[in-house]
Amino acid sequence: MTNNAQEFHLTISDPNDSIVELLASTARLPKQQVKQALQKGCIWLQRGKTTSRLRRAKKSLKAGDIVHMYYNPMVLNQEVDDAILIADQHTYSVWYKPYGMLCQGSKWSDHTTINRFTETHLQPQRPAFIVHRLDRATSGLIIIAHTKSAVRDLTKAFEQRSTKKTYQAIVHGNQSLLAQPQTINTDVDDKSAISHVTCLNYDAISDRSLVKIAIETGRKHQIRIHLASIGLPIVGDRLHGEEESRSTGKDLQLCAVYLKIPCPDTKQDKEFKLPDTYKLKL
């Protein structure tokens, strides 16, 4: 973390103490900033063997509780675009996750995560659980579960590969010159990985292609690694792309556009397609 990051650990002796006043005094922060920090998920309550985020300023405390505050202004000031609800299926929902939104928080915050956004924006309010992930830099369709049974069934479906996922990406170069569809089966992190790539459009002026990618496996950064391995790095890929791709200044041009899952309620296959409004434009 940066030099501005600070940690505070307070053991509660008087259960009548105000958590906001205690942290404001200890961290030398205005009370309003402490209240905002509570909402953004950087304050934790440890009670016995259980530690969880503390969000309510008036949460009842007990002597012996330990309150942890992980305060980093740079992290807490981060902002991302709103996620967009695509479908509410009651026990689960489908969202468009924008570039930069996370699928997992840290001890420093969770306010830029898709599950926290869902918890605070979906009506009626429900708990939100991650069952599969998109990289921070990848946009597109993601499913959030709202019941324990939906978590179990959807997680199992993704683990057993009984789901189908399709992505679109904008890459440097002319992918239409290659086999259609092109299968890439180079291992990723010494694990088998299979991607099928089809050219949807090619722009000769920019020398870029819009491609569709269907994946049979879900290795970390699989699509980015596979496309870079055939000399067609994704535009905006600063990690796996070539120098040209790293210097565009663009966000990663990779988007999840289609999902098929076995519905945890009906047990029948359910398809979700990303509206054209949110798809990549060549």
Side-chain angles (χ1 to χ4, degrees), residues 225-242:
I225 292 170
H226 272 177
L227 288 169
S229 74
I230 60 171
L232 299 172
I234 299 177
V235 171
D237 191 344
R238 299 171 181 86
L239 184 59
H240 301 285
E242 298 172 351

Side-chain angles (χ1 to χ4, degrees), residues 5-236:
Q6 300 181 77
E7 298 183 22
F8 305 95
H9 309 279
L10 306 176
T11 300
I12 302 302
S13 56
D14 184 347
N16 294 315
D17 282 341
S18 162
I19 188 61
V20 172
E21 291 182 1
L22 281 173
L23 287 173
S25 175
T26 302
R28 297 182 180 179
L29 292 169
K31 292 179 184 179
Q32 188 59 35
Q33 281 185 235
V34 173
K35 291 179 180 179
Q36 290 174 351
L38 280 165
Q39 292 302 312
K40 292 187 175 183
C42 75
I43 299 172
W44 297 73
L45 175 64
Q46 180 181 342
R47 178 172 292 170
K49 295 181 180 180
T50 302
T51 302
S52 57
R53 295 189 201 269
L54 175 60
R55 300 196 193 273
R56 291 195 295 116
K58 295 185 178 181
K59 169 77 174 179
S60 297
L61 300 176
K62 295 182 179 181
D65 285 349
I66 303 175
V67 175
H68 308 275
M69 182 178 189
Y70 301 95
Y71 188 79
N72 186 332
M74 185 179 73
V75 172
L76 296 177
N77 289 333
Q78 289 175 347
E79 297 181 357
V80 293
D81 291 339
D82 288 352
I84 304 297
L85 179 64
I86 301 299
D88 184 354
Q89 303 295 308
H90 306 297
T91 61
Y92 66 98
S93 54
V94 183
W95 297 77
Y96 167 73
K97 184 193 85 67
Y99 171 90
M101 185 169 275
L102 303 172
C103 288
Q104 181 175 350
S106 70
K107 67 181 182 181
W108 300 92
S109 83
D110 68 346
H111 70 290
T112 59
T113 62
I114 179 67
N115 49 314
R116 182 60 181 159
F117 183 90
T118 300
E119 287 176 344
T120 54
H121 288 78
L122 186 61
Q123 295 296 330
Q125 287 193 328
R126 281 154 275 175
F129 305 100
I130 297 290
V131 294
H132 70 118
R133 300 177 188 275
L134 292 177
D135 293 340
R136 172 187 173 277
T138 303
S139 61
L141 293 175
I142 190 167
I143 294 176
I144 301 295
H146 302 303
T147 65
K148 290 183 178 180
S149 60
V151 172
R152 182 188 64 245
D153 292 348
L154 288 168
T155 299
K156 182 179 179 181
F158 280 100
E159 289 177 346
Q160 296 183 345
R161 300 179 188 174
S162 54
T163 62
K164 183 177 180 181
K165 292 178 280 187
T166 303
Y167 296 74
Q168 289 183 6
I170 297 176
V171 301
H172 292 283
N174 188 356
Q175 200 276 334
S176 69
L177 299 176
L178 305 174
Q180 300 294 313
Q182 176 186 20
T183 297
I184 308 171
N185 54 15
T186 308
D187 287 357
V188 174
D189 293 332
D190 297 322
K191 296 179 180 179
S192 63
I194 302 174
S195 305
H196 305 286
V197 185
T198 304
C199 188
L200 299 177
N201 198 6
Y202 171 67
D203 178 57
I205 296 176
S206 63
D207 189 30
R208 293 176 180 176
S209 301
L210 176 65
V211 298
K212 178 179 73 173
I213 312 102
I215 59 173
E216 293 187 23
T217 52
R219 309 303 180 198
K220 184 176 182 179
H221 293 178
Q222 173 179 323
I223 295 174
R224 299 164 70 171
I225 292 170
H226 272 177
L227 288 169
S229 74
I230 60 171
L232 299 172
I234 299 177
V235 171

